Amino acid sequence: MDQDQIELYAQKSDSDNNLADPTVIAKYRLAADIAHDALTKVVARVTDGIKVSELCAYGDEIIHSYTSKVYNKNNVEKGIAFPTMISVNDCVQHYSPTGDADDDAILHNGDIVKIELGAHIDGYMATSAHTLVINPSPAQPVGGSSADVICAAYFAAEAALRLMKIGNTNTQVQEAIAEAAGLFNCSPVVGTGSNEIKRYVVATEKRIMNALEDERRPEREFVFVANEAYTLNILISSGDGACKEGANKPSVFSRNVHQNYNLKLQSAREAFSEINKRFGVFPFATRALENKRHRLGVTELAAHNLLTPYPIQYTRGSAKVAQFKMTVLIAANGTTRITPGLALPYVHSAYTIPDDSNIARLMATEAVKTVKSGKALAGIGAGEVIAPAAGMDVDM
């Protein structure tokens, strides 16, 4: 690529990711509203005895239902940015089972359930995640380590969000996450984090790690500037934050656009063609492949690094994990959260946030602007959304 091509590419990238452009904002907002509505409806279906695969398929279907009704001219790509993933208790992330007999889970009373999904419009993605507890006695708050880890994750997310402002650094955000977790005797999950996003880019090199894997490998520090979009993804463990891969094989993959290989198996070639056509650069769940033969081809694609797996990890010692995730836009006139949070589970932690802590001071500052959801869905079949009525009871 010569210098003229490099400059042209840079100009195109700047134009595509210009948060001062109303068209760009409209596509982000529509993706965010779709993700929020899908998440709300999946949360409402969570109950004792339901299969995880059913909830995942339901979430994906809601996203498809919306995206099939918009931007149907000029071959605009739209659809799932992240498949519906439901990780329970000590499972950290990325569990999205096929529903086969040996690849599914059933939810039970007392489970901590993390639901994560995302949508995109023309490559502009919005993702969201929420944590709830299946409480057989909803009038009574959930206590113990379940309450502690949910409170820790919630306050870590709120503190981090307040720090995502022009001029602040990712190091400041990470320090707040660690402090919030520590106040509830919890730890950030090692190897997880947040990242900058762009049009058709799920993650740039700008990362905000929830916890450093190795203190001897310092994280690259950067300053937040105007015209940036981020996925803020907070994962907190009730244990030491360490995790490992479990027995479940990955079922979520994304296309590795930097790798090529001459495939030999027909099933792999057909699967590769379907993946490129339907999912592009965005992650997908193998259950979404319409032909079951294509699922077999995924094994060869992954073996030759044409696909990048999203590993299913579990905490050490079966520690519980809570997650809150949102999409954040940093513009010249301020920071905006475009995927609103849902009603919090009714929990009560024995731990408190001291008045002299940085977290207390951050929580006392003005909250980041959050857009009202649903406006972008008007006229495309959005029904009434009612979030579960609940609240968080924390001593402060």
Side-chain angles (χ1 to χ4, degrees):
M1 183 181 291
D2 59 29
Q3 187 61 35
D4 288 342
Q5 289 175 310
I6 292 173
E7 291 179 0
L8 184 62
Y9 178 82
Q11 291 172 4
K12 179 67 164 61
S13 178
D14 290 344
S15 175
D16 283 351
N17 296 284
N18 181 13
L19 297 184
D21 185 340
T23 301
V24 170
I25 294 298
K27 290 175 181 177
Y28 267 125
R29 286 288 308 275
L30 178 55
D33 279 4
I34 291 171
H36 178 74
D37 191 51
L39 182 63
T40 302
K41 289 176 177 175
V42 174
V43 165
R45 279 206 174 187
V46 171
T47 187
D48 176 53
I50 195 168
K51 291 182 178 180
V52 169
S53 62
E54 292 180 11
L55 290 172
C56 290
Y58 178 59
D60 289 356
E61 182 56 37
I62 294 171
I63 295 173
H64 280 306
S65 177
Y66 277 124
T67 57
S68 66
K69 299 172 184 175
V70 298
Y71 286 94
N72 287 322
K73 296 180 180 179
N74 302 322
N75 296 318
V76 173
E77 296 182 21
K78 66 276 173 81
I80 292 174
F82 265 88
T84 306
M85 299 174 284
I86 299 179
S87 305
V88 184
N89 296 328
D90 59 334
C91 182
V92 178
Q93 256 185 311
H94 306 145
Y95 186 61
S96 191
T98 61
D100 296 338
D102 58 345
D103 183 28
D104 209 346
I106 296 176
L107 300 183
H108 300 288
N109 286 329
D111 283 345
I112 292 184
V113 183
K114 300 173 288 294
I115 305 171
E116 177 181 1
L117 49 76
H120 82 92
I121 300 294
D122 198 21
Y124 298 98
M125 62 181 288
T127 60
S128 189
H130 183 71
T131 298
L132 64 134
V133 182
I134 303 179
N135 186 356
S137 303
Q140 298 296 320
V142 173
S145 60
S146 295
D148 299 338
V149 74
I150 289 174
C151 290
Y154 170 75
F155 285 108
E158 288 295 317
L161 180 59
R162 284 166 167 77
L163 287 168
M164 294 180 70
K165 297 179 179 180
I166 295 172
N168 286 346
T169 68
N170 57 325
T171 301
Q172 290 175 272
V173 175
Q174 182 176 304
E175 289 172 349
I177 294 170
E179 181 183 355
L183 291 176
F184 291 91
N185 196 32
C186 295
S187 305
V189 177
V190 173
T192 66
S194 309
N195 49 265
E196 183 191 24
I197 57 175
K198 292 187 176 184
R199 186 187 184 207
Y200 286 114
V201 179
V202 174
T204 74
E205 71 282 356
K206 289 188 174 181
R207 293 268 291 169
I208 309 167
M209 301 304 296
N210 288 320
L212 287 178
E213 294 188 51
D214 189 339
E215 293 181 357
R216 294 168 298 179
R217 295 166 52 200
E219 179 184 351
R220 173 178 172 249
E221 187 173 57
F222 62 86
V223 177
F224 296 110
V225 297
N227 214 42
E228 292 183 328
Y230 285 86
T231 293
L232 178 59
N233 185 28
I234 303 298
L235 286 134
I236 304 295
S237 164
S238 63
D240 62 6
C243 54
K244 59 183 180 180
E245 289 191 34
N248 298 96
K249 294 181 179 179
S251 58
V252 175
F253 297 84
S254 63
R255 170 80 171 90
N256 180 2
V257 297
H258 303 293
Q259 183 73 15
N260 291 297
Y261 184 80
N262 188 19
L263 295 164
K264 296 177 176 60
L265 293 178
Q266 183 176 349
S267 61
R269 292 196 299 271
E270 291 175 351
F272 194 57
S273 176
E274 181 183 354
I275 290 165
N276 279 324
K277 181 179 179 180
R278 295 182 57 206
F279 311 116
V281 299
F282 292 103
F284 67 93
T286 54
R287 57 185 160 73
L289 296 174
E290 296 172 347
N291 189 326
K292 287 195 174 184
R293 287 183 64 252
H294 294 177
R295 297 183 189 178
L296 300 176
V298 167
T299 302
E300 184 183 3
L301 297 178
H304 295 295
N305 298 317
L306 293 172
L307 297 179
T308 300
Y310 284 72
I312 303 170
Q313 295 189 316
Y314 293 82
T315 56
R316 189 161 59 189
S318 299
K320 298 170 182 176
V321 177
Q323 176 189 27
F324 291 99
K325 185 178 184 182
M326 64 197 76
T327 303
V328 181
L329 305 183
I330 303 177
N333 61 350
T335 301
T336 303
R337 174 180 181 172
I338 62 171
T339 49
L342 301 186
L344 295 165
Y346 187 21
V347 300
H348 180 84
S349 173
Y351 294 96
T352 63
I353 297 179
D355 291 338
D356 61 350
S357 66
N358 289 326
I359 300 303
R361 285 190 285 270
L362 281 170
M363 294 303 297
T365 63
E366 184 178 359
V368 168
K369 177 185 176 183
T370 300
V371 300
K372 292 183 178 180
S373 66
K375 288 185 178 181
L377 300 182
I380 59 172
E384 182 181 5
V385 177
I386 302 176
M392 177 175 284
D393 180 12
V394 182
D395 295 324
M396 293 187 64

